[in-house]
Amino acid sequence: MTAPPTVSLSRTAVGSEVPPAVERARPRWRGEDPVIGWAGALVVAGLAFFLRWWHLGTPHQFSFDETYYAKDAWSMLGNGYVREYVEDADKSILNGQLGGLWESGPSMIVHPEAGKWLIALGEKAFGMDPFGWRIAAAVVGSLMVLVMCRFVRRVTGSTALGLVGGLLLSLDGLHLVLSRLALLDIFLAFFILCGVHCVVADRQWFRERLAAGSTRLLFRPWLLAGGVAFGMAVGTKWTALFPLAAFGLLAFAWSWGARRSFGQRRALLRAVLLDGVPAFLHLVLVALVVYVATWTGWLVHAGEYEKALSNTQYTTYGGGEQWPTATEPDADGLGEVVQSLRSLWYYHHDVYTFHAHFLNDSEHVYASKPAGWLLMSRPVGVDAQLDIKPGSQGCDAPRGSDCLRQVLLLGNPLVWWGGALALLLAVVRWVGARDWRFGVAVVGTGSTWLPWLMYDDRPIFIFYAIACLPFVVLAIALGLGTLVGRSDEPSPRRTAGVVVAGSYVVLVLLAFAWFWPIWTDQLITHSEWLDRVWFTRWI
């Protein structure tokens, strides 16, 4: 595919006599200092970590679905697999009483284990308390900001736009709150971003090798790394399968387009045989191997599930039918591995049945339709302490009013609303100008958001959109780059673009400061809370 001139702050060569296809294969950041790029990204990520680490242990309780994932992770640490918990386990844990928490039988978990193992690392290092089960999310959320800086820089060729992209991600409310909770979605979003970054890096690596004269590129290290990242993403939540498929197809399309742009004969056949097959092995097969490996703890203890089934202590979501392996004699050696893998397959069938059928008639007060996610239609109340009287806990509300504390899963409206407009521009630029950079934003957002439209008959929540956020931010960065223009364009136009782009970033920062209290459980008066809850559907 032919790429138009870059729309970023990067310096690009003009007047070059190098063939166009070769020139397009070159990295677009050669004129930029890599030390500044990395130093700036580390500073932005460090700031993000400070904001996520600050008072991370508050509120001192299980917030929302932390009650499942934090305890599952602790059980995996202690037992190697997830066991059922005794009644009032939450209360015992918060009181520091960690003995006698587990029942004898295994628990039917409905999400893979990779994200929970990361939560478990924090609990191992810092203990089974709110800080311990949240610190992994804070670290991964901050690393995600670092990767975002590098990702936007790679796509746009601009260090400045890369830093802006990372900063915008760090200033979003969904990202902030999920980086301060022991939920799975921040890990999912991080690994998806890493996987897509690797696919984009492979595009540039592939074109450089073609420019150098290589034609048979069977080993593609960036795609291999992408397969590992996507395997971890699917190992956190199955919804990562959609972007894996989308960017796998996009990688093939890029390879085909690259061969055509270099004038190779039978470009499609070469792309299928020389690129498509290796790409499938690097991305999909590697992702499958990594995914199965994330279930190692379960596989080692598959016999516990089989024993529970044979003793009718455990009912599957598939109608109570026993797995065939539950009544088979225990195998040895390689046969035991095969038997455990078969049990894992039957277990997956049960989990799929749960997600596909058992949630359809459920309801939840914070459920939201995915059609409105990009506009922040219905946030999720994670925690709230209401009716704090004047003079209590430092409340300075006037007589007859009160104070409150809240943690609200609400995105920064200026990021999401600006991102929705930027995505419209991205569609136009991708389809009309055939600019692959905008296609990354469109495909990334579409593959992480549109599949949810098929499941809007069940309780799903707006924070699932965190997987879309990096691509929404990428669309914004590309839009800002379009406003600013090229370095060789007339000064008045660039000046106006810089003013508009800079003003937008400042407004995002001010909005972040404005909503900070309801993202981080701060004490505010009822009147101050109403000033921040702009719509009744946000209540």
Side-chain angles (χ1 to χ4, degrees):
M1 297 183 183
T2 302
T6 184
V7 288
S8 74
L9 300 179
S10 63
R11 295 187 291 271
T12 54
V14 293
S16 174
E17 297 181 359
V18 180
V22 177
E23 178 61 33
R24 289 194 299 271
R26 290 176 173 174
R28 293 182 176 270
W29 54 81
R30 271 193 188 169
E32 305 214 359
D33 189 339
V35 175
I36 293 177
W38 273 106
L42 289 170
V43 169
V44 174
L47 174 63
F49 178 72
F50 174 78
L51 295 173
R52 283 144 182 78
W53 164 83
W54 187 81
H55 287 187
L56 184 61
T58 57
H60 187 79
Q61 62 184 46
F62 290 95
S63 297
F64 204 64
D65 283 353
E66 283 187 332
T67 186
Y68 303 115
Y69 305 129
K71 290 188 299 186
D72 286 355
W74 186 248
S75 179
M76 289 161 63
L77 271 180
N79 306 298
Y81 67 102
V82 180
R83 288 168 59 175
E84 292 284 358
Y85 277 81
V86 300
E87 190 176 353
D88 291 331
D90 288 17
K91 183 178 179 181
S92 298
I93 291 171
L94 291 173
N95 289 334
Q97 301 169 358
L98 303 181
L101 296 175
W102 297 299
E103 300 280 6
S104 59
S107 174
M108 176 65 175
I109 55 174
V110 295
H111 289 298
E113 298 190 338
K116 284 172 277 191
W117 276 115
L118 292 175
I119 295 172
L121 290 178
E123 294 172 346
K124 177 70 172 179
F126 297 98
M128 184 56 176
D129 57 32
F131 183 90
W133 64 63
R134 293 170 186 159
I135 186 61
V139 171
V140 168
S142 304
L143 289 175
M144 187 175 172
V145 172
L146 176 64
V147 174
M148 190 72 200
C149 291
R150 306 303 297 176
F151 175 59
V152 175
R153 184 179 188 268
R154 182 176 292 278
V155 173
T156 65
S158 167
T159 295
L161 285 180
L163 298 181
V164 167
L167 182 64
L168 291 177
L169 182 70
S170 70
L171 296 177
D172 177 68
L174 280 187
H175 192 275
L176 175 73
V177 178
L178 287 174
S179 298
R180 294 169 57 88
L181 292 174
L183 304 186
L184 300 180
D185 301 85
I186 196 67
F187 306 108
L188 170 71
F190 170 72
F191 287 123
I192 290 176
L193 174 59
C194 289
V196 174
H197 190 174
C198 290
V199 173
V200 172
D202 172 78
R203 179 191 186 277
Q204 296 169 340
W205 178 90
F206 184 83
R207 295 178 71 89
E208 287 180 16
R209 296 305 183 278
L210 288 184
S214 301
T215 58
R216 296 183 180 181
L217 303 170
L218 301 182
F219 176 66
R220 296 167 68 169
W222 278 111
L223 281 189
L224 179 64
V228 173
F230 274 117
M232 291 295 292
V234 179
T236 302
K237 277 192 170 183
W238 288 352
T239 48
L241 287 169
F242 294 108
L244 169 59
F247 280 94
L249 293 174
L250 196 58
F252 168 75
W254 284 340
S255 299
W256 178 23
R259 291 189 180 277
R260 289 180 58 196
S261 68
F262 280 88
Q264 293 190 2
R265 299 178 58 187
R266 299 186 181 89
L268 178 58
L269 181 61
R270 288 172 179 265
V272 171
L273 298 180
L274 299 180
D275 307 329
V277 173
F280 179 85
L281 296 177
H282 283 72
L283 271 178
V284 179
L285 184 60
V286 170
L288 175 61
V289 172
V290 172
Y291 173 77
V292 174
T294 65
W295 287 92
T296 299
W298 193 101
L299 289 167
V300 171
H301 298 88
E304 299 295 331
Y305 288 87
E306 296 163 359
K307 181 170 62 176
L309 278 169
S310 64
N311 295 333
T312 67
Q313 296 174 2
Y314 173 76
T315 302
T316 71
Y317 288 115
E321 298 179 0
Q322 290 188 348
W323 306 336
T325 52
T327 57
E328 295 176 355
D330 292 338
D332 296 320
L334 182 61
E336 183 180 6
V337 174
V338 173
Q339 189 177 55
S340 296
L341 288 172
R342 288 175 59 212
S343 293
L344 184 63
W345 172 259
Y346 298 131
Y347 187 82
H348 275 58
H349 176 268
D350 289 348
V351 172
Y352 175 79
T353 301
F354 169 79
H355 286 294
H357 302 291
F358 279 76
L359 293 176
N360 291 349
D361 298 325
S362 303
E363 295 182 358
H364 197 286
V365 66
Y366 290 121
S368 61
K369 299 291 185 181
W373 285 357
L374 299 187
L375 299 178
M376 293 292 101
S377 59
R378 177 63 171 148
V380 174
V382 173
D383 177 67
Q385 184 181 353
L386 308 176
D387 298 324
I388 301 174
K389 300 305 180 183
S392 175
Q393 301 184 31
C395 175
D396 59 357
R399 186 180 299 274
S401 184
D402 57 22
C403 294
L404 57 85
R405 298 178 185 271
Q406 184 178 37
V407 177
L408 189 67
L409 267 166
L410 170 71
N412 188 321
L414 294 188
V415 171
W416 287 91
W417 296 346
L421 294 175
L423 283 169
L424 294 177
L425 171 65
V427 172
V428 172
R429 291 301 304 268
W430 186 36
V431 176
R434 299 179 65 192
D435 191 326
W436 69 272
R437 301 169 187 81
F438 291 89
V440 174
V442 173
V443 173
T445 304
S447 62
T448 52
W449 171 47
L450 294 179
W452 286 109
L453 296 174
M454 300 184 295
Y455 305 106
D456 64 357
D457 58 344
R458 65 188 65 181
I460 51 181
F461 306 98
I462 198 169
F463 63 83
Y464 297 170
I466 187 64
C468 313
L469 181 59
F471 310 106
V472 173
V473 170
L474 175 61
I476 295 173
L478 289 166
L480 295 179
T482 303
L483 282 174
V484 172
R486 295 166 56 108
S487 59
D488 56 353
E489 290 183 343
S491 179
R493 185 196 180 283
R494 282 181 55 80
T495 300
V498 169
V499 170
V500 173
S503 299
Y504 172 75
V505 174
V506 170
L507 288 174
V508 169
L509 178 60
L510 293 175
F512 178 83
W514 181 250
F515 288 101
W516 170 266
I518 62 173
W519 288 334
T520 57
D521 203 46
Q522 301 300 299
L523 181 69
I524 56 176
T525 66
H526 198 90
S527 175
E528 291 170 336
W529 177 77
L530 287 175
D531 289 340
R532 289 161 173 80
V533 180
W534 292 349
F535 306 99
T536 55
R537 63 178 179 272
W538 284 8
I539 298 177

